[in-house]
Amino acid sequence: MAIFYPFRNVGVFIILSLWVLVSAICAWGRPATFVQDFRSTWSESHIKQIDQGRAIQLILDQNSGCGFASRRKYLFGRVSMKIKLIPGDSAGTVTAFYLNSDTETVRDELDFEFLGNRSGQPYTVQTNIYAHGKGGREQRVNLWFDPALDYHNYTIMWNHHHIVFSVDDFPIRVFKNNEDKGVPYPMMQPMGVYSTLWEADNWATRGGLEKINWSNAPFYAYYKDFDIEGCAVPGAANCASNLSNWWEGPTYQALNAIQNRRYKWVRLNHLIYNYCQDKSRFLVTPPECLPGN
């Protein structure tokens, strides 16, 4: 419900109205649609619009996978999509939803990668973070539901304080901004929103032991309810540094009590790999993995 208070000073009302308008222009927050806000990046013939354009279907067969990307890049904000993953035997496939700066040598990237499985095994979601060209921060969580039965919401929140990956409002990973401690954090480069469906049976399922069964092809993944709220680039020059953007507010600077409980539950019961604990890769614990970071 909107509440309006009368102003005796019409000039003040006009100034405040202009300030609200400028703030709205600064941060782009319209719900995204595929046709208006995304483009095919490869194999457009394998991307089908369904439900009168309100959803899309990605197709993987022996000829090709496919991918799409947002038409604009964004610096800080929140991105979410509802995705229904490949049902049945999806071993060797990867469905990805990620942000990418498209600057290879100094890449910033925030990844959701859904690793296919053999029928009856849990779907694994791998997250990774690249900052200033440094990656190798993989974590894997087994989903606690079948993500092929229905759509589920996958969200990346990115602000000056932290990056939060969430599944249906359950945080599964938090990466804090520890640049003051020498840990790279994506701060300067805008990123586009990407998604791909592709063959990766050399590593995706059980480290590449499980190969794609092409007799089950074609494979389908479905997307809907695209939502992008952030600072579009090009756009207002001061948007990304504007700490009054809603995603920079106190509510979003740290997990609340409910989110913390959910996060601890996920990490305790469903985390199956954490690079922070991989001594074969890191003889010295990465600084962002130290207690308190």
Side-chain angles (χ1 to χ4, degrees):
M1 179 178 66
I3 302 176
F4 298 93
Y5 297 92
F7 281 89
R8 293 183 179 179
N9 190 327
V10 176
V12 172
F13 176 78
I14 292 173
I15 290 171
L16 288 175
S17 298
L18 288 172
W19 182 86
V20 171
L21 177 61
V22 170
S23 299
I25 293 172
C26 176
W28 187 91
R30 174 177 55 81
T33 62
F34 185 78
V35 173
Q36 290 178 299
D37 301 302
F38 294 93
R39 57 183 174 82
S40 169
T41 52
W42 58 293
S43 194
E44 186 172 2
S45 63
H46 284 56
I47 302 176
K48 305 292 186 184
Q49 294 187 47
I50 57 178
D51 192 20
Q52 297 180 327
R54 287 186 288 269
I56 62 167
Q57 176 193 66
L58 300 193
I59 303 168
L60 169 64
D61 58 28
Q62 285 182 282
N63 295 316
S64 182
C66 59
F68 65 88
S70 60
R71 297 183 184 275
R72 304 182 74 177
K73 291 184 177 181
Y74 305 88
L75 188 54
F76 301 113
R78 183 181 66 185
V79 179
S80 66
M81 295 184 184
K82 288 184 180 177
I83 306 173
K84 183 163 63 172
L85 295 172
I86 300 168
D89 184 354
S90 58
T93 69
V94 174
T95 307
F97 159 42
Y98 58 103
L99 307 184
N100 189 299
S101 63
D102 197 25
T103 49
E104 191 57 39
T105 56
V106 287
R107 173 171 37 148
D108 290 338
E109 184 171 308
L110 310 176
D111 292 330
F112 268 119
E113 294 177 309
F114 304 95
L115 312 183
N117 62 1
R118 288 289 180 222
S119 297
Q121 299 300 312
Y123 245 101
T124 298
V125 55
Q126 174 172 282
T127 57
N128 198 1
I129 294 169
Y130 284 80
H132 305 186
K134 175 179 170 54
R137 298 184 175 96
E138 299 90 350
Q139 295 185 0
R140 296 187 191 123
V141 167
N142 278 345
L143 293 174
W144 50 96
F145 53 86
D146 185 344
L149 291 179
D150 203 351
Y151 287 94
H152 291 267
N153 199 48
Y154 303 93
T155 302
I156 301 172
M157 166 69 77
W158 170 33
N159 61 27
H160 283 79
H161 302 275
H162 59 188
I163 297 160
V164 182
F165 295 83
S166 298
V167 177
D168 290 339
D169 295 325
F170 279 70
I172 67 168
R173 182 173 188 175
V174 177
F175 186 81
K176 295 180 180 179
N177 182 352
N178 282 309
E179 280 221 325
D180 60 342
K181 300 177 182 178
V183 179
Y185 187 84
M187 292 279 288
M188 303 302 295
Q189 298 190 104
M191 291 190 268
V193 183
Y194 291 81
S195 188
T196 54
L197 173 58
W198 50 293
E199 171 194 354
D201 68 1
N202 60 324
W203 67 271
T205 307
R206 294 184 60 218
L209 296 177
E210 303 285 354
K211 303 300 183 182
I212 287 182
N213 182 353
W214 287 111
S215 66
N216 293 326
F219 302 99
Y220 303 108
Y222 298 87
Y223 293 72
K224 68 176 184 178
D225 294 354
F226 310 97
D227 189 19
I228 304 173
E229 299 178 79
C231 292
V233 178
N238 64 341
C239 182
S241 61
N242 184 358
L243 299 183
S244 66
N245 290 325
W246 69 261
W247 54 84
E248 302 287 359
T251 301
Y252 303 98
Q253 293 177 12
L255 301 184
N256 62 35
I258 293 174
Q259 290 170 328
N260 259 313
R261 286 197 296 271
R262 291 176 172 179
Y263 181 57
K264 290 177 180 178
W265 177 81
V266 170
R267 307 291 284 186
L268 179 64
N269 295 285
H270 299 283
L271 181 69
I272 60 171
Y273 175 81
N274 185 352
Y275 76 105
C276 289
Q277 300 166 352
D278 192 338
K279 299 301 182 182
S280 65
R281 291 179 60 195
F282 302 99
L283 296 179
V284 177
T285 301
E288 67 269 21
C289 301
L290 296 174
N293 290 351

